[in-house]
Each structure stands twice: as structure tokens, then as C-alpha cells.
Amino acid sequence: MDKSWINKPRLSQDYRLGVKHFLDFAFTRSNANMMKCPCNRCLLTKSLSRDDIEGDLMCYGFLSSYTSWILHGEEVCITGNTRLPSDVNESELDSTLNL
């Protein structure tokens, strides 16, 4: 999925369409009415409605370091060479990822 819009000016057509596509992507894959907000103010710590997330993304911008949207329906790709931090329990990760 194209994420180049994340760093574009918030008033640009590309950014507005990117926000719309992101929200369509995230809320289509979820049964929830609220999700973690990936704006620069909330930093994925607050759960908000679609309308509130859209407003925050337009006002505060998208968290540019959030490049894998795992909290919003994007699948995690783990390769055989992926190393987990020492404090991650591999069996818990497997059950979380439904492996």
C-alpha cells in the first residue's frame, strides 16, 4: 500500500485522499467503532472514532514512524531472519499472530 502521502502537506489533495484510504482500509478490516489514533498528538495511545481520527490526522499529521499499520489491519511479515527482542515471549507472539 502506498504510504508516500504521509509526509505530504496536510492541505494537499494527496494527503486528504491518503487519510481517506487509510481509514477505509483500517475500518473495513475491523468490527470496532474505535481504533488507536496514529496522529502526532495521540501517538497510538488513544482510541477514537473514525471521524475523530480523521480530524486529528488533518490537524496534527500522521505519525511518520508508523510505517507498518499492524494496529490497523496490515499483516505482519516475519521472515526466518527476524530477531525478536529478548523480552518477547515467542509463544505469546505466535498466538497473537494466529500462527
Side-chain angles (χ1 to χ4, degrees):
M1 174 175 285
D2 176 34
K3 298 175 184 170
S4 63
W5 58 270
I6 290 172
N7 295 314
K8 297 205 174 177
R10 292 193 300 266
L11 296 178
S12 71
Q13 182 72 8
D14 287 340
Y15 185 84
R16 289 191 302 235
L17 285 174
V19 168
K20 180 189 178 331
H21 290 146
F22 166 76
L23 293 170
D24 289 346
F25 175 85
F27 280 91
T28 298
R29 285 162 177 70
S30 171
N31 293 329
N33 294 327
M34 299 178 73
M35 295 189 143
K36 298 289 185 183
C37 181
C39 80
N40 284 311
R41 180 182 71 158
C42 294
L43 304 172
L44 298 168
T45 61
K46 295 181 184 176
S47 291
L48 302 175
S49 69
R50 179 187 174 117
D51 289 342
D52 289 337
I53 292 172
E54 182 176 10
D56 276 12
L57 291 175
M58 295 308 298
C59 288
Y60 304 107
F62 198 96
L63 183 60
S64 62
S65 63
Y66 185 48
T67 57
S68 295
W69 297 340
I70 59 173
L71 298 177
H72 295 88
E74 196 167 60
E75 292 188 22
V76 178
C77 179
I78 298 178
T79 65
N81 295 332
T82 302
R83 298 183 68 193
L84 297 174
S86 59
D87 62 339
V88 172
N89 182 325
E90 200 166 336
S91 62
E92 288 177 13
L93 180 64
D94 288 347
S95 65
T96 301
L97 298 176
N98 297 319
L99 298 176

